[in-house]
Every structure is written in C-alpha cells, then in structure tokens.
Amino acid sequence: MSQTTVGLVLVSHSRALAEATRALATQMTGDRVVIECAAGVGEAGEALGTDATAILAALERAAGEKGALVLMDLGSALLSAETALDLVDASIAAKTRLSAGPFVEGAVAAAVRAAGGGTLDEVAAEARRGLLAKEEQLGEAPPAPAPASVDESTENVFLEDAVIGDEHGLHARPAARLVSCASQFDAKVAIENRTNGKGPRAADSVVLLAGLQARRGDVLRIAGSGRQAEAAVRAIAALVRTFGTTPDAPPPPAPDKTTNDRGIPIAPGVAVGPCVRLERAEIRFSHPFTKNPPAELDRLTAALDEVEAEIRGAYGRDDMATLHATLLRDPVILQTARERITKQHQNAASAFHEGIERAAMALASADDPYMRARIADLRDVELAVLRALGAAPAAVLPEGPPALLLADELLPSEAARLDPARVLGVVDLRGGPTSHAAILLRGAGIPAVFGAASLLKDLPASPARLGLDGSTGEVWIDPGPERTADLERRRAEERAARLSAAAFHGKITLPSGPTVELWANAASALEARAAKEAGAFGIGLLRTEMFFLDRDDAPGEDEQADLYAEVLAAFPGAPVVIRTLDAGGDKRLPWLHVPPEENPYLGLRGIRLSLDRPDLLETQLRAILRAGRGRDVRIMIPMVSTVTEIEATKAALARAARTLDATGKPYLWPVPLGIMVEVPAAALLADQLAPHVDFFSIGTNDLTQYTLAAERGHPKLAALADAGHPAVLDLVNRVSQAGRAAGRAVSVCGEAAADPKLAATFVGLGITRLSMGPAALARVAAALVAGAEIG
Amino acid sequence: MESGILNGDTVVQWIERAAEVIGENEKTLTELDAAIGDSDHGANMARGFSAVRGKLAEHSRDDVGAILKTVGMTLLSTVGGASGPLYGTLFLEAAKVTAGKPEIDRATILQSLAAGLAGIQKRGKAEPLDKTLVDALGPAIRAFEGAEGVSLAEALSQAAEAARQGAEATIPLVARKGRASYLGERSAGHQDPGATSMWLLLQSLAEAAAE
C-alpha cells in the first residue's frame, strides 16, 4: 500500500506483546497506518529478545514518505533499535525517530495521530504523551500541559459551542478525526469542556483532548484564532455534533484468538476438545432432466414418504416434526415440483429444488420475521428430500475422537442426528435460542452456544481446539492448558452429577432443605413414556394442540379421549395436567380457520380462542373427563388474563359434565382446574385469581415475551428472551407468594425450568414443582442436588 | 601458529573455539545471569555463537574484515538480549578496521579491540565499573597494549587474564546498566555475566593464536 501516514515500528522482546499492541492500535486506526513488529528472536520469533536486523527490515517497510516512529520496550530493544538506525540507509535513518514513549499507550496514541495525518514530529510528541491520560486519571499528573489558548490579541477570534452526542463521549476515534479536521485550517484551535471545566486544550493532540474527559451531553467550547479561525471552528463544531449520529466507520476489530466474548447460551454444560467443522457437500444437479417423468413422480413420492417417516422417527411428534412434515406436503412446493417433472421433464431432485426455491422466495418476502425464519426449515426439508433422492450427500462429521462441532446454522435434522457420545458440544455461527436445532440440542443434553459468528470470524482455517460454556455463552478458541484443565474438570463434575442423579425418581431433596418435584412436559404418548422412564413425578403440561397440528378437520371427542388415555396409561396413579388447546400465536391449526391476524401473539389464542368456539372447548373437556376417569387428571387453561375467563371455562366444564351425564358415559368428577400464568396481568393479579383456581403453572416462555415485549422467535431480540430477567422473576415471585398465601400449588412449566441455574432460582423463590422436557430431568436434578447455584 | 599476525583461518578458529567454550559454559553464564538479570545470557550467547559457527563454515577466509562483519551481523540477529547489539557492535566496529585485510598484525588487533570497545560504550552508554562487559574488555585492551616484548599469543593470553580479573572484579559492583540495574544494591555480590562471556571470548582468542 502507499504510505501516506507516518509508519510505526514496534520493537519488543516478545512477539506476542508486539502483536497484541499492534492489535490494540489497529483497533483504532484500521489499516490506515503501517505498523510493523520487530519482536522476538529465533526462526519464528518464538524466543524473547530483539533482533537489530529485523528492526532494520521493519524500518524499511514502515518508513514511507513521512517517516517512521519506533516504540521499544526495554533493555536490548533500545540497543538493537539504535544499532538498526546505524545500519539502515541514511535516507531512512533521517526520517526515523526512536520514541521514549510508553510502549503500549505510546503506540496507540501515535497510531491514532498518524492516522489523522500527523507529521513525524507530531506523532512522536503524541507517543511521548502516551501516559498523560492515565496520569491524570490516577492523579499522578506531571505539571499540567500549558493551557492552550487562542491568540486573543488578533482580531480574528471565533467561538462556538457544540454538544457531543456520541454515547462514548470524545473517545479516541472521534478525537483523531477532530485533530485531523483542525489541522486542515490555518488556525489555532483550542477546545474547552464547559460542562466539567476541563481545558482548554489544543486541538492538535488526541492525548490532550482525552484530558477534556468529554462525555455524552457535555458542551464543548471551540475557540479559534488566526486567518481561518471561523471556518475551522465551524467545521469542528459541526463535526462534534455528528459524533455518534453518523457511522464512525468502525475499523476492523483486531484479531483476538483467545476471545471469550459471548455467544447465545443455548444448552447448558461445558465442553472442550478438538474442533471439527460440519461439512456439507455442495448440491449439484448435474443431470437435471429425465426421459421418464412418471418414474420421477414415483421417485418423488417415495422420497417424500421416506423423509416423513424419518422425521417422525428422528424427532418425534413435536411441533417441529409437524412443521417439517407439513412443509414436506406443502401444495405450492409439490405443485411446482410435479409440473416441472411432467411438463419440463426435470428429474425429481431438481424439480423439488425449484419448488422449495419458490416457497423460499415467498417466505423471504413475508413481513413476519417468524415466517422468514422458517426458511431454514425449508432448506432442511429440501436437503432431506434430496438426500433421499440420492442427490445430496448427508452432512458428515469427520471420523475421529469426540469433538466439538462447529456449524454454520445447524439444521434441525442434523441436530436430531447428533450423537452425544461423539459430539461434546456445538458452536453454531448463526442460529438463535428458539431455533429448532437449539431445542433439540437441549433435549439431547449437548452443550451449545449459538450466534457465535462474531467470536469466530478469526478462527484459523485449520481445525483448532474449542471450549465452550453453554450456560454463559462463552467460547474459547485454542484454550490454554489451564482453561482446558478447568473445563475438563467442570465437565467431569457435570458427568458425575448426572450419574448420581440417574437414580432419581420424581423428587429430590435439596441440600438446603426443600423437596422439589420434577414433572415433565409432553406432547405425545411417546414423550409421556420417555418422561416416565426418566423418572418424572408426573406430566406437568400435556400440550394437546400438538396432537392435532397436521390435519384438516377438527378432532372428535372419541378420538381425543383415546389419545389422552394413551398418555395417561404411561402414568398410572401419577398426576397428569392436561392443557386445553393452546392454538394461535405461532401455532396455527389450519382446521380452526382462524382469520389471519396482524399480531397473532396478542390475538385470539389460548383460552380466548376456546371460549370463542364453545363446541370445540366442550368437546375437548368431555374427552378429557372421559379419559380421566380413575386417573389423577387436572385440567389447565392457557393464556388466562381475567377471572371472567376462568368462570366461563368452569361453566363450559359444567356443561360438558351434564352432556356426559345425558349420554350415560362415565367420567372423572370433580376435576381440578388450574391456569397457565403467562400473561403479565395474571401474574400481577395472582392473589385475586387464586380463589378461583386449584393451581397455577407459570409458562415462562410466553410470560417472558409478554413482559419484555419481545417476540421470542425474533432473531435480533435473543437477549430479551431471558426468563431470568428481573422483571420476569419478580412476576414469578408474586405468583409464588400468592399461591402460598392461598394454599394453591405453583409450578413452572416453561423452557426456563430446564435451565439448571434458573431452576435453582425458581426454587429460591419458593417454587417446588418444575416441569420440563424429559431429556432435561436428570440434568436439572443433578444440578439442584449439587446445590451450587442455590443461595 | 606462533607468529605476529592473525589470518582468516585463525580468526575463524577463534570464533569456533569461542562457540565451543560458550556452549560448554552456557549453564554457568545463565546461572550468573539468573542471579542478577533475566537468566537468558547463556542461552542467548550459545544461540548466537552457534549461528555464527554455521555461517562461518563455508565462509571465505581471505578477508578478516568480512569474517568479522558476518560474525557481527549474525550476533545482532540471533542473540536477542542486550549482548546482541553489544557484541554485534564489537565485531562490526572491528570489521571496519580490518576490512579487506587478509591478515592483521598486533597494531591492527589493538585498534580493532579499541574500536569495538568504543562502539560498545557508545551503544550501551556504559562506563567502567558499571558492572558490564566493559569491565572485562577495558582491562584486557590495556594489558594487551602494555604487553611489550612478548609474542602475540602471550600478549593475548595476558589480555585474557586481565579480562578474567576484570570480570571477577565486577562481583562487588552495583549494576548501573542493563536489566541488572533494576536490582540496584542487590546486584552486588554476583559476577557480571557479560563480563564473564567477554573473558571467555578473549580466552578463546588467546588459545586460537597459540595453536
């Protein structure tokens, strides 16, 4: 690159120190300043020491037309630099300065000044002042720099005040722009902070300007004298006002291999080990045409059947499986695909691909971010079908020892196939907390961090080692021996805790005293059986809507009763909480024919919908009552916000019972009725609702999204999908207290109950009934028994 | 080779011998440095002289100045610590005096050593009794200069002996230069590693000249 700025040479005994200092400086200046390191000795600079010949070479690279400044650490750095100056070409030596400035602070200050177009003298002066800000901050200031002032004896003095808008105040980058702006005028400019009384300081030094300690909102008085005073002052005032409002062209952040910034914590647990990338072979349609369209149609049908079976087998009957199965049969996709086969004689793979493309385009143009997020699911379905057609190879995990998987948006079908014995953890560059892959990883107990793109952009191309903490979102690239040992120790502890919890049967007694019941959430008889095997105390939440997602007509009473009975059979004698249909929001049941809503989460959903369709509600209630005969069944209604809704449900329940009486069918009576607390109103009025219900169950997912006004599937609001937010915990606490005061059981049945830390928090708030996905039971039990988080 | 001059072969033999001796004494030098410095002097010098030895293996012997320049440049880039620029300067300054000479006599040797000392003092700003290699090289040059009526080998041997005594005399001194100066009074009571390696270098020269 052509060097229009003063270059820097960093001479240090330590290659690492010089590189890190360069990174700090580059963070401020991007690549506008050439910064060369001459540090370390030995072939790769691995030994501590300095090398005069390396400094000489660095000088030749760094010294452009404006020369170079050399910053040195200690001892031989100075001797070697001086030796290099003796040896280097005289024309370069003449424009090289060795700086007595502090190595790190001096380098950063010098780089900023150089980037602002400073001369060698100015850059050298800035480096010498490198400690000034620190000295002032610590009260160790040498005699304060002579106050800058404008030359008031001349007639041409100009003043203007400007308020600084940048949230970080007058930090180094804007200060450098300010200095650079001032240097373009034939004027002497000084700046004073009118808010805190600091200054005035000459506007030719970033370090001096730092002494103004200007924060956002401070008023800066810009004073200029000289020929172009007015122009200079106006320009600087205008510039100050733009700080923070115009993008301050952020320079590329410095490479930092050992970053421990955070991604999104997805699945708890720690992991450390070799890193393998999930390799996805590119799909190619090399021979996209067929001579036998009918045969291709058959192949497509067979592939769709195969994939559907695979989806059911791999991830059960949850809403994701249902979504994928629905996408698989989407008429837009299939119609496009069939037309391409029959009319254009494309083969099944390329035809299905085009169908998916068409659907993806439709989704991409949707206003609803939730719908757009489903493109990943479409791609997943596409890959599965293409695999079944032999057109796409399966994503492969390289063979080898157990490792951490590095993926770029892990697909749900891939997540479902991960073997916890081989995959120690997952770091996903994209992905959010509510993606289906995230839910599957939590279920499988594989520690994971998502949204890690910013942490890993400097990841070396060759596979490195990774460490992660799925509870905090921390990721370590090439963790050092100490970090590795620490992570391995914690992983061993987690494993030991899991083993000791293996004998868990529904209840655990905490070291601190209380006994906590762990219940399971389920959406199918299969899951209910898994919950039983995992030792669940009971079913704390049976999501009935999940039974009826992929159908065209309303389920009848008999059909429902049979399905519920199958679930209840898994828990003979144990309590099962059946929730009435919770449709609406992101769970749209086609057969309900609910008109599209602008804000489905704030629309006709949960009990609101059920009360709007009395037949629907009463049919479900009758089915529950019939299936519940002789069982410990409790009914729970979702999305309650008023007493009226509870009373209306009770009336419906009474009507259902009378209808059953009339037909002579045996049924369960009386039946406890409880409510989901997921609307903040219900939490706030829990003490008033308590007399009307038999129990409360807090749905943390919805309670969190309604409390924080942040849709939980929103890709940019992941940080607000936090059930540990103080506002949410405050509501949980209210419900807990109201329940205790009124003698009503309170449970938590949202995703948060599966997070050991949050679970411990809930227990701390007096909640002793937690309901979660079956896969989380053992882990949460172990964490609670370990008691580490309970305080 | 008992004569009044040193030729290129002898100079290379000297450096090879120095490399050997420094290699043998690496641990000692490091122990001395550990007492008052950063315990890298032995390793640094061994690394530098081993590199020099490699450079000289195929080096032409017909220009003493060229040999010394190669030694100096190599030491600059491989020693790492302050001894790199200091020993490097010693050899580079000596190389200037001896440039283009196939052999050097006593007067040139003296001139080379003196130029080297001056360069070192200029580079390191060290005065006598600052507890540095100047305290070995200075007495050695004075002894060499004063050794009249003896052979070159004997004169170099006396110089080496003076260097040894000079190095030992650094024991009670308080360091005023280099890393050891951070220790202040606590640096007293230990022999300076740089002065010690300088003695070894001159001892090697005396031995090479005597062969």
Side-chain angles (χ1 to χ4, degrees):
Chain A
M1 64 183 288
S2 72
Q3 283 155 248
T4 54
T5 64
V6 172
L8 299 186
V9 173
L10 304 181
V11 178
S12 168
H13 284 65
S14 157
R15 174 70 59 93
L17 174 61
E19 298 282 359
T21 304
R22 169 158 65 185
L24 280 171
T26 310
Q27 201 174 28
M28 312 290 298
T29 62
D31 56 7
R32 283 172 289 167
V33 179
V34 175
I35 304 177
E36 292 288 339
C37 295
V41 287
E43 278 182 17
E46 70 286 352
L48 293 179
T50 58
D51 172 352
T53 61
I55 300 168
L56 185 132
L59 272 176
E60 287 168 350
R61 293 192 300 268
E65 166 191 330
K66 282 183 150 179
L69 186 72
V70 182
L71 285 136
M72 299 151 285
D73 63 2
L74 61 168
S76 69
L78 189 52
L79 299 184
S80 290
E82 286 179 332
T83 306
L85 258 193
D86 281 355
L87 297 172
V88 78
D89 191 87
S91 67
I92 293 180
K95 54 183 177 184
T96 298
R97 294 261 195 301
L98 304 187
S99 172
F103 188 70
V104 177
E105 294 88 342
V108 173
V112 171
R113 191 67 188 86
T119 63
L120 182 55
D121 283 340
E122 289 166 346
V123 171
E126 201 73 344
R128 284 284 294 280
R129 285 193 287 251
L131 288 180
L132 202 60
K134 215 149 89 181
E135 286 166 342
E136 287 188 345
Q137 172 83 21
L138 298 175
E140 296 175 359
S149 64
V150 298
D151 185 356
E152 291 176 11
S153 64
T154 73
E155 299 215 336
N156 200 8
V157 174
F158 198 83
L159 287 180
E160 188 167 335
D161 287 352
V163 177
I164 186 152
D166 193 300
E167 62 175 319
H168 304 298
L170 189 63
H171 61 97
R173 269 202 311 275
R177 287 168 61 198
L178 200 157
V179 168
S180 158
C181 175
S183 69
Q184 290 163 18
F185 295 93
D186 176 14
K188 194 171 169 189
V189 180
I191 299 181
E192 182 184 357
N193 186 340
R194 300 287 287 172
T195 306
N196 65 10
K198 304 256 181 202
R201 290 283 173 86
D204 62 1
S205 161
V206 173
V207 172
L208 289 178
L209 290 179
L212 295 175
Q213 297 178 13
R215 302 185 198 293
R216 178 187 215 163
D218 285 4
V219 178
L220 299 186
R221 168 154 298 172
I222 300 134
S225 64
R227 198 172 62 80
Q228 296 183 306
E230 179 170 353
V233 169
R234 281 188 189 281
I236 292 173
L239 182 62
V240 166
R241 292 189 191 103
T242 67
F243 291 156
T245 57
T246 53
D248 178 27
D256 180 6
K257 279 182 67 179
T258 55
T259 178
N260 61 349
D261 283 347
R262 287 167 189 212
I264 305 168
I266 290 297
V270 298
V272 63
C275 159
V276 298
R277 282 176 184 268
L278 181 73
E279 302 291 350
R280 294 195 187 99
E282 205 177 317
I283 304 165
R284 291 210 180 80
F285 302 101
S286 46
H287 302 289
F289 295 102
T290 177
K291 287 178 181 163
N292 190 353
E296 288 299 303
L297 280 177
D298 289 347
R299 284 187 66 217
L300 180 61
T301 306
L304 294 174
D305 290 344
E306 182 185 333
V307 171
E308 181 166 13
E310 191 179 287
I311 290 171
R312 298 292 183 204
Y315 28 99
R317 204 183 164 81
D318 64 5
D319 50 349
M320 176 175 65
T322 307
L323 170 68
H324 284 194
T326 311
L327 289 175
L328 198 58
R329 305 290 182 188
D330 184 278
V332 173
I333 301 170
L334 290 189
Q335 201 182 335
T336 305
R338 289 195 178 112
E339 275 178 21
R340 296 290 158 123
I341 294 173
T342 53
K343 293 187 183 159
Q344 298 178 16
H345 294 201
Q346 283 183 238
N347 69 13
S350 73
F352 190 74
H353 169 71
E354 297 213 7
I356 291 280
E357 284 298 310
R358 198 162 154 198
M361 265 162 51
L363 282 182
S365 62
D367 282 337
D368 178 355
Y370 176 83
M371 291 308 287
R372 287 201 299 274
R374 299 281 74 81
I375 292 178
D377 293 299
L378 261 188
R379 295 286 172 210
D380 199 6
V381 167
E382 174 184 16
L383 260 186
V385 173
L386 295 187
R387 274 199 297 266
L389 287 167
V396 285
L397 270 184
E399 288 299 321
L404 277 82
L405 180 65
L406 181 63
D408 193 349
E409 195 150 34
L410 188 68
L411 294 171
S413 65
E414 291 164 345
R417 289 179 183 81
L418 294 183
D419 175 2
R422 283 201 62 216
V423 179
L424 302 172
V426 172
V427 175
D428 191 337
L429 300 180
R430 298 169 217 254
T434 56
S435 76
H436 286 139
I439 292 166
L440 287 165
L441 290 176
R442 274 194 290 272
I446 298 177
V449 174
F450 278 19
S454 65
L455 312 189
L456 298 184
K457 64 185 176 320
D458 296 310
L459 191 76
S462 57
R465 284 173 63 79
L466 288 178
L468 71 82
D469 183 337
S471 303
T472 63
E474 286 167 293
V475 173
W476 294 272
I477 301 166
D478 285 329
E482 279 181 29
R483 173 72 58 191
T484 301
D486 177 55
L487 292 175
E488 279 170 352
R489 179 186 54 75
R490 286 168 58 197
R491 188 172 174 88
E493 283 173 9
E494 286 174 359
R495 198 177 306 127
R498 263 203 304 278
L499 288 176
S500 74
F504 144 84
H505 288 295
K507 282 189 199 182
I508 47 171
T509 299
L510 302 189
S512 54
T515 296
V516 178
E517 297 168 4
L518 298 188
W519 299 44
N521 300 341
S524 66
L526 195 72
E527 274 191 355
R529 286 190 285 272
K532 183 70 186 168
E533 274 177 31
F537 187 89
I539 297 288
L541 168 63
L542 184 69
R543 300 184 164 108
T544 56
E545 63 280 358
M546 295 301 177
F547 290 72
F548 312 117
L549 282 175
D550 51 342
R551 55 188 298 145
D552 303 326
D553 53 341
E557 180 186 320
D558 290 345
E559 182 187 356
Q560 289 193 49
D562 288 347
L563 286 168
Y564 302 149
E566 198 186 341
V567 172
L568 294 170
F571 275 85
V576 173
V577 177
I578 301 181
R579 183 173 70 182
T580 60
L581 276 186
D582 186 21
D586 60 334
K587 288 174 288 195
R588 303 197 50 172
L589 308 188
W591 50 271
L592 283 170
H593 304 294
V594 176
E597 297 177 300
E598 277 284 313
N599 268 318
Y601 282 111
L602 303 181
L604 195 64
R605 60 171 296 201
I607 194 63
R608 302 170 184 177
L609 178 66
S610 294
L611 291 173
D612 186 57
R613 313 277 177 92
D615 286 350
L616 178 75
L617 175 60
E618 283 171 39
T619 304
Q620 182 170 34
L621 292 174
R622 288 196 302 273
I624 296 172
L625 291 177
R626 280 172 56 196
R629 185 166 174 268
R631 306 284 195 190
D632 182 355
V633 164
R634 301 136 194 222
I635 294 175
M636 177 158 75
I637 51 180
M639 276 293 285
V640 172
S641 34
T642 66
V643 172
T644 314
E645 288 162 342
I646 300 168
E647 293 308 317
T649 306
K650 283 185 180 167
L653 198 53
R655 283 196 300 275
R658 279 201 302 276
T659 307
L660 290 174
D661 281 338
T663 58
K665 290 173 185 161
Y667 62 98
L668 169 71
W669 198 264
V671 62
L673 179 73
I675 63 169
M676 290 283 287
V677 179
E678 48 196 341
V679 178
L684 290 166
L685 296 183
D687 52 346
Q688 295 178 37
L689 300 182
H692 300 272
V693 302
D694 295 301
F695 61 91
F696 290 119
S697 187
I698 302 172
T700 48
N701 299 0
D702 276 328
L703 185 60
T704 303
Q705 83 165 343
Y706 291 133
T707 302
L708 298 177
E711 185 191 314
R712 61 180 144 121
H714 196 296
K716 295 210 166 157
L717 299 180
L720 290 175
D722 174 17
H725 189 285
V728 179
L729 293 181
D730 186 57
L731 292 177
V732 170
N733 189 35
R734 276 170 177 273
V735 180
S736 173
Q737 289 189 359
R740 248 200 321 278
R744 302 292 191 268
V746 179
S747 63
V748 168
C749 66
E751 282 274 324
D755 176 330
K757 277 189 185 165
L758 275 174
T761 305
F762 295 143
V763 173
L765 294 176
I767 289 170
T768 53
R769 187 177 285 184
L770 302 173
S771 191
M772 65 201 72
L777 286 166
R779 195 181 65 239
V780 173
L784 290 175
V785 168
E789 305 298 335
I790 297 172
Chain B
M1 188 185 74
E2 182 56 51
S3 72
I5 56 162
L6 296 178
N7 62 17
D9 283 328
T10 318
V11 169
V12 171
Q13 280 165 23
W14 162 34
I15 300 302
E16 285 177 344
R17 183 155 200 94
E20 253 169 55
V21 171
I22 285 168
E24 285 161 11
N25 287 279
E26 179 183 337
K27 199 158 156 256
T28 311
L29 292 174
T30 291
E31 279 165 5
L32 289 175
D33 199 25
I36 62 170
D38 43 10
S39 48
D40 62 0
H41 188 61
N44 284 348
M45 291 294 284
R47 178 172 58 229
F49 273 86
S50 153
V52 166
R53 195 177 199 174
K55 280 275 171 69
L56 290 185
E58 302 294 322
H59 203 282
S60 102
R61 311 286 166 93
D62 48 15
D63 179 346
V64 171
I67 298 169
L68 294 177
K69 185 173 181 188
T70 298
V71 174
M73 290 303 290
T74 308
L75 291 178
L76 280 185
S77 65
T78 54
V79 169
S83 312
L86 293 175
Y87 277 102
T89 298
L90 170 68
F91 282 96
L92 290 179
E93 291 297 326
K96 287 182 196 164
V97 175
T98 56
K101 295 188 195 307
E103 52 187 36
I104 50 176
D105 58 14
R106 278 175 78 150
T108 310
I109 295 168
L110 178 62
Q111 209 187 334
S112 304
L113 290 173
L117 175 63
I120 285 176
Q121 287 196 265
K122 172 170 168 274
R123 177 75 60 232
K125 314 278 187 309
E127 297 294 324
L129 307 184
D130 278 353
K131 198 176 180 110
T132 69
L133 41 68
V134 169
D135 293 325
L137 183 55
I141 291 173
R142 284 193 296 281
F144 184 68
E145 196 175 8
E148 289 178 6
V150 297
S151 68
L152 174 60
E154 176 56 23
L156 286 171
S157 177
Q158 288 179 16
E161 174 58 18
R164 187 185 66 76
Q165 290 175 11
E168 279 181 5
T170 63
I171 293 177
L173 296 178
V174 173
R176 287 201 288 261
K177 288 288 167 188
R179 204 73 71 88
S181 65
Y182 288 98
L183 293 173
E185 296 292 333
R186 278 177 294 144
S187 62
H190 302 279
Q191 182 167 323
D192 181 60
T196 309
S197 58
M198 179 58 81
W199 162 55
L200 294 176
L201 183 66
L202 293 170
Q203 179 68 31
S204 304
L205 175 57
E207 287 170 12
E211 273 179 13

